[in-house]
Amino acid sequence: LDFYADWCVYCKTMEREIFPHPLVQEKFDGKMLLQADVTSNTELMDEFGLVAPPTILLFDAEGTELCNHRMIGNVTVEQLLERMNQAGM
């Protein structure tokens, strides 16, 4: 679950460079990537206890958040792939 806002520079970079990267696309094969637009509504961020976008939350197949694997701020392709590997994804 990717928390995104129109005013977030890092969010735009991730949307343009990180998520479309071939290695990331390959890693997400068979998985669902959802984007929550929190541009004008932070209620969902409050529900998850988040401060600001970009934040990526990972969930297992049953929908339970893998809390030790939250990614906050600008991440690289390598960091995203490493965190997904650590989460067993």
Side-chain angles (χ1 to χ4, degrees), residues 14 18-19 24 27-28 56 58 71 75-85:
M14 291 176 63
I18 306 301
F19 294 128
V24 173
K27 191 69 168 172
F28 273 106
I56 300 172
L58 301 176
M71 291 166 273
V75 298
T76 65
V77 167
E78 293 78 16
Q79 290 169 326
L80 177 57
L81 294 175
E82 179 181 340
R83 187 61 59 92
M84 290 180 75
N85 285 335

Side-chain angles (χ1 to χ4, degrees), residues 2-3 6 9 15 21 45 52 56 59 62 67 70 75:
D2 171 41
F3 288 84
D6 288 341
V9 175
E15 188 173 52
H21 191 281
M45 289 186 56
I56 300 172
F59 296 84
E62 287 76 37
C67 294
R70 286 185 173 195
V75 298

Side-chain angles (χ1 to χ4, degrees), residues 13-84:
T13 300
M14 291 176 63
E15 188 173 52
R16 188 177 57 249
E17 298 174 16
I18 306 301
F19 294 128
H21 191 281
L23 292 175
V24 173
Q25 287 294 305
E26 181 180 328
K27 191 69 168 172
F28 273 106
D29 188 38
K31 297 170 185 66
M32 185 181 308
L33 174 63
L34 299 175
Q35 188 177 69
D37 186 348
V38 294
T39 300
S40 59
N41 186 345
T42 60
E43 190 173 307
L44 188 58
M45 289 186 56
D46 293 341
E47 186 174 321
F48 283 97
L50 306 178
V51 177
T55 298
I56 300 172
L57 307 182
L58 301 176
F59 296 84
D60 65 17
E62 287 76 37
T64 303
E65 182 187 353
L66 303 171
C67 294
N68 295 331
H69 298 287
R70 286 185 173 195
M71 291 166 273
I72 301 168
N74 196 27
V75 298
T76 65
V77 167
E78 293 78 16
Q79 290 169 326
L80 177 57
L81 294 175
E82 179 181 340
R83 187 61 59 92
M84 290 180 75

